[in-house]
């Protein structure tokens, strides 16, 4: 291989893999062990970040590079491997999870027969059968439920565990029974905070429909103050309902879903804006107009008797 061929092959590797490569790939394009040691040594332009994994620049790694390096350590793409745990949940866009750049440990899932061990900031999980991964930004990521199980296993914070499980069911539409089955299979149901959260999620009237960015965008277009997202409302201390959004000063609740008989929110006098899911995209102007009309005509209902449970509801966006 000529010097020009070597340089071209190196540029292609750096471009296609965002500068994260393996020692085997470098050897394959003609980089000798001596040259590799020199370039990764003091003053050199490259760095070894994990065994057999090199980044073709100095400095801190981006979130993507950390995830790709962890996969490369696990042998991907030549061998089966996928991201799981908190890093995978972050890539799935879970609100209750740190952004990927702040995830200190990257979890990878590999087949049970692989003789691969945890190393520094890469934690290895073995599975008899790997689930079908989802590609997120060109990275193979375990499905939400499996990633949640591995993330919960690593957490020591019961409050965080409950928040993640609620988000999975309330926001992502995960079946509570499916989630409970995954956690029990992984022997996690006795971990602090999990059993209580599963019982709560199984109660009737507390399962949300999945919602996307359309709701947030339409609420912003209405010009209203930020609502409480997915709060638990109580009337005189008794559970009332869990609307998708609630404006406490105006007594207005937003419910995404088809009309299904009388809602407790209606009977107590609060104003309910009920929006079929398809209306978010087919008639957004009507949704915005309905919100403005409801908020502008308030306040509604017995506001002094309605409270938001302190463990629920926030001004975070969806």
């Amino acid at each position: 291989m000529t010097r020009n061929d070597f340089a071209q092959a190196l540029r292609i590797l750096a471009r296609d893999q965002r500068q994260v490569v393996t020692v085997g790939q470098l050897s394959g394009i003609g980089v000798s062990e001596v040259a590799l040691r020199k370039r990764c040594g003091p003053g050199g332009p490259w760095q070894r970040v994990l065994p057999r994994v090199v980044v073709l620049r100095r400095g801190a790694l981006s979130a993507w590079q950390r995830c790709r390096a962890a996969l490369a350590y696990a042998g991907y793409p030549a061998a089966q491997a996928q991201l799981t745990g908190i890093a995978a949940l972050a890539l799935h866009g879970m609100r209750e999870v740190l952004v990927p750049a702040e995830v200190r440990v990257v979890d990878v899932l590999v087949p049970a027969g692989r003789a691969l061990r945890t190393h520094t900031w890469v934690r290895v999980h073995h599975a008899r059968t790997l689930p079908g991964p989802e590609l997120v930004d060109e990275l193979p990521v375990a499905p939400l439920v499996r990633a949640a199980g591995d993330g919960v296993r690593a957490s020591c914070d019961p409050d965080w565990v409950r928040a993640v499980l609620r988000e999975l069911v309330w926001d992502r539409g995960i079946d509570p029974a499916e989630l409970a089955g995954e956690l029990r299979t992984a022997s996690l149901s006795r971990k602090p905070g999990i059993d209580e959260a599963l019982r709560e999620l199984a109660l009737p009237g507390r399962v949300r429909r999945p919602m996307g960015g359309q709701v947030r965008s339409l609420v912003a277009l209405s010009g209203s103050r930020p609502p409480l997202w997915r709060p638990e409302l109580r009337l005189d201390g008794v559970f009332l309902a869990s609307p998708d959004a609630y404006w406490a000063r105006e007594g207005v609740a937003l419910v995404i879903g088809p009309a299904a008989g009388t809602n407790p929110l209606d009977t107590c006098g609060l104003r309910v804006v009920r929006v079929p899911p398809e209306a978010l995209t087919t008639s957004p102007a009507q949704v915005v107009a309905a919100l403005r009309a409801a908020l502008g005509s308030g306040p509604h209902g017995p506001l002094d008797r309605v409270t938001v449970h302190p463990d629920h509801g926030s001004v975070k966006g969806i």
Side-chain angles (χ1 to χ4, degrees):
M1 179 178 286
T2 66
R3 182 178 182 84
N4 286 339
D5 290 339
F6 165 84
Q8 177 66 10
L10 190 60
R11 280 196 295 271
I12 292 173
L13 267 181
R15 180 198 65 199
D16 292 349
Q17 299 179 194
R18 306 189 202 180
Q19 300 179 307
V20 180
V21 300
T22 65
V23 171
Q25 288 175 319
L26 292 173
S27 177
I29 63 172
V31 178
S32 68
E33 183 60 35
V34 172
L36 181 60
R37 284 200 300 269
K38 182 177 180 180
R39 293 188 179 213
C40 292
W46 300 349
Q47 57 179 320
R48 288 183 192 253
V49 294
L50 291 165
R52 306 178 299 280
V53 183
V54 173
V55 174
L56 303 177
R57 68 169 179 79
R58 290 286 180 174
L61 306 190
S62 70
W64 191 95
Q65 287 175 322
R66 280 172 58 80
C67 290
R68 186 62 179 79
L71 287 166
Y73 169 72
Y76 179 84
Q80 284 186 301
Q82 56 192 257
L83 298 167
T84 189
I86 295 176
L89 292 176
L91 287 167
H92 276 297
M94 291 283 290
R95 188 186 68 253
E96 294 293 346
V97 177
L98 294 170
V99 297
E102 297 174 344
V103 177
R104 295 183 179 180
V105 176
V106 178
D107 295 272
V108 294
L109 187 62
V110 301
R114 296 279 309 281
L116 188 70
R117 297 288 179 266
T118 294
H119 183 85
T120 58
W121 48 270
V122 179
R123 183 163 44 214
V124 177
H125 304 258
H126 293 85
R128 292 182 181 178
T129 303
L130 262 62
E134 302 176 23
L135 279 180
V136 180
D137 196 10
E138 301 179 1
L139 299 171
V141 179
L144 266 174
V145 174
R146 174 62 204 235
D150 290 327
V152 165
R153 179 182 291 107
S155 175
C156 298
D157 183 350
D159 292 333
W160 180 86
V161 167
R162 285 193 293 270
V164 167
L165 299 186
R166 289 168 182 162
E167 185 175 347
L168 287 170
V169 174
W170 291 352
D171 301 350
R172 300 304 182 101
I174 300 298
D175 184 347
E178 178 189 357
L179 183 58
E182 173 69 28
L183 297 177
R184 292 189 181 109
T185 299
S187 302
L188 294 172
S189 57
R190 295 184 179 179
K191 193 177 177 73
I194 290 182
D195 191 52
E196 176 187 351
L198 292 176
R199 285 199 305 271
E200 174 192 22
L201 294 172
L203 291 174
R206 303 203 182 186
V207 177
R208 276 42 170 208
R209 298 179 62 87
M211 293 191 301
Q214 301 104 318
V215 179
R216 180 175 53 193
S217 299
L218 294 182
V219 167
L221 285 174
S222 73
S224 70
R225 293 180 299 101
L228 297 168
W229 296 106
R230 296 166 296 274
E232 177 184 291
L233 303 185
R234 296 187 177 186
L235 179 65
D236 298 331
V238 178
F239 175 74
L240 176 65
S242 296
D244 295 300
Y246 179 65
W247 286 263
R249 293 181 189 174
E250 293 83 3
V252 173
L254 174 66
V255 176
I256 307 299
T262 304
N263 190 299
L265 294 166
D266 297 299
T267 58
C268 80
L270 295 176
R271 180 71 175 271
V272 180
V273 178
R274 189 172 286 101
V275 178
E278 61 272 14
L280 297 174
T281 52
T282 60
S283 52
Q286 294 180 22
V287 175
V288 171
L291 276 175
R292 286 174 176 167
L295 293 168
S297 61
H300 307 277
L303 298 185
D304 57 330
R305 297 169 56 200
V306 177
T307 56
V308 178
H309 192 277
D311 290 338
H312 297 71
S314 72
V315 295
K316 292 181 181 179
I318 53 179

